[in-house]
Amino acid sequence: MAAYTGRFAPSPTGPLHLGSLVAGLASFLDARAAGGRWLLRIEDLDPPREQPGADDLIMRTLDAHGFEWDDAPLWQHSRLDAYSQALLTLRDAGHVYPCVCARKSFTGVYPGRCRGRTFAETPGPYAVRMRVPEGAAVFDDRFLGPQRMPWTDVGDFIVRRKDTLFAYQLAVVVDDAAAGVTHVIRGNDLLDSTPRQLALFDALREPAPTFGHCATVVHADGAKLSKQTGAAALDNRVAGASLLTALRCLGQDVRELSPDLSPRQLLTEATVRWDPGRVGFARHVSAGGAPVR
Ligand code: GLU
């Protein structure tokens, strides 16, 4: 196993946009600068949200932007047995319980109403919730430094939905553990997920990776770039310009990088110059790469 294994894990809900490029680029450069491996995983766990062909489109876009990944990409739909197995492990160890509460029956953090329920005495359908520990989740973010999140702010969270789909939180941990991922580098819109994933690594007795969260790219009105907010798809014809913008969004110094370089050359140059110490410069950046208050 390489000393460093990173990954990019897009959901095939639509084409990649600048926000996804920033997260993918951060994970790629951090891995390559460390001489590590970089894996691609397609997170197709939620069919109603997916767009047919988006996985293919994502891979072609990554290719046009000069990215090369190690090994064959992994599709989460091929991993359902592994998620079932992990759920059994959690269940046998008493980390999870069945929950029959409707999402609309509470606001904010789940109040733990079903904590006392047992699987044997609860007829389906039910969601499966993970019991969070006492105290606080503490971790050292690669870009943001020490983080502390009280478990009372997180609450018991769903690992398998009532409609029997596995939750993102469980799948991501099972897959990162199986692939030997040592560094999870992604956008800070997922910072809230990190305590949940740390709890799962711990409960499944797997070593937790290092987490690093880079800036999210926002529209002028402050809304995160996403398919829902109408973010523009990356245009392969201007891949070099998009890479330079994404590097600015990561706080990197691009003054010596010529826009005439091919995407692959740009990535090579950016890897040599990669400065993880500059990534935490902003929580939110505009589509031009400037920090947003
Ligand atoms: N599939 C998730 C997304 O596209 C990312 C998961 C992760 O990086 O942990 O937002």
Side-chain angles (χ1 to χ4, degrees):
M1 222 33 111
Y4 187 122
T5 300
R7 55 38 161 208
F8 180 45
S11 304
T13 51
L16 294 181
H17 50 71
L18 180 65
S20 13
L21 180 65
V22 168
L25 185 59
S27 69
F28 178 86
L29 294 177
D30 205 52
R32 294 301 194 221
R37 285 153 39 84
W38 188 68
L39 309 176
L40 178 64
R41 182 169 72 230
I42 304 291
E43 302 218 311
D44 58 342
L45 262 196
D46 193 350
R49 288 186 55 231
E50 283 149 28
Q51 204 179 77
D55 48 359
D56 227 49
L57 187 62
I58 287 172
M59 288 189 285
R60 275 188 281 125
T61 304
L62 287 173
D63 185 54
H65 286 72
F67 292 93
E68 285 175 288
W69 49 91
D70 297 304
D71 300 347
L74 182 82
W75 273 260
Q76 286 193 320
H77 75 251
S78 70
R79 300 273 300 150
L80 302 184
D81 287 349
Y83 308 146
S84 296
Q85 196 51 53
L87 199 59
L88 278 180
T89 304
L90 294 174
R91 189 172 153 162
D92 288 349
H95 289 298
V96 292
Y97 58 87
C99 173
V100 296
C101 296
R103 184 63 194 88
K104 289 196 184 98
S105 68
F106 61 92
T107 49
V109 175
Y110 178 64
R113 282 198 293 256
C114 288
R115 265 195 163 201
R117 280 185 185 277
T118 63
F119 286 98
E121 288 162 9
T122 309
Y126 50 73
V128 180
R129 268 187 203 273
M130 173 82 184
R131 215 183 284 281
V132 296
E134 309 273 300
V138 180
F139 67 98
D140 203 6
D141 190 280
R142 176 146 171 74
F143 308 130
L144 304 175
Q147 303 290 311
R148 186 176 183 282
M149 302 187 190
W151 287 111
T152 46
D153 289 357
V154 178
D156 294 349
F157 58 92
I158 290 183
V159 290
R160 203 205 63 188
R161 289 162 27 174
K162 207 181 270 184
D163 60 11
T164 76
L165 289 181
F166 291 102
Y168 153 71
Q169 306 292 355
L170 179 69
V172 84
V173 167
V174 171
D175 288 342
D176 283 339
V181 167
T182 60
H183 290 70
V184 171
I185 305 295
R186 57 189 177 189
N188 63 28
D189 52 322
L190 288 165
L191 190 56
D192 284 357
S193 288
T194 300
R196 296 172 174 86
Q197 292 167 17
L198 285 170
L200 284 168
F201 276 108
D202 198 43
L204 293 168
R205 299 183 182 284
E206 295 285 355
T210 297
F211 286 89
H213 296 87
C214 62
T216 31
V217 187
V218 295
H219 292 282
D221 65 357
K224 186 189 127 190
L225 249 60
S226 71
K227 196 177 135 206
Q228 290 73 23
T229 60
L234 291 174
D235 180 348
N236 292 344
R237 291 168 303 181
V238 292
S242 301
L243 283 169
L244 286 175
T245 304
L247 285 166
R248 274 188 217 105
C249 292
L250 292 168
Q252 304 299 296
D253 185 351
V254 298
R255 282 172 301 183
E256 286 173 17
L257 296 182
S258 156
D260 300 332
L261 293 175
S262 72
R264 201 149 288 175
Q265 288 169 324
L266 266 178
L267 290 186
T268 305
E269 293 298 321
T271 302
V272 175
R273 293 177 168 76
W274 176 240
D275 183 353
R278 299 178 75 135
V279 177
F281 81 115
R283 291 292 182 113
H284 303 285
V285 292
S286 69
V292 174
R293 300 270 149 241

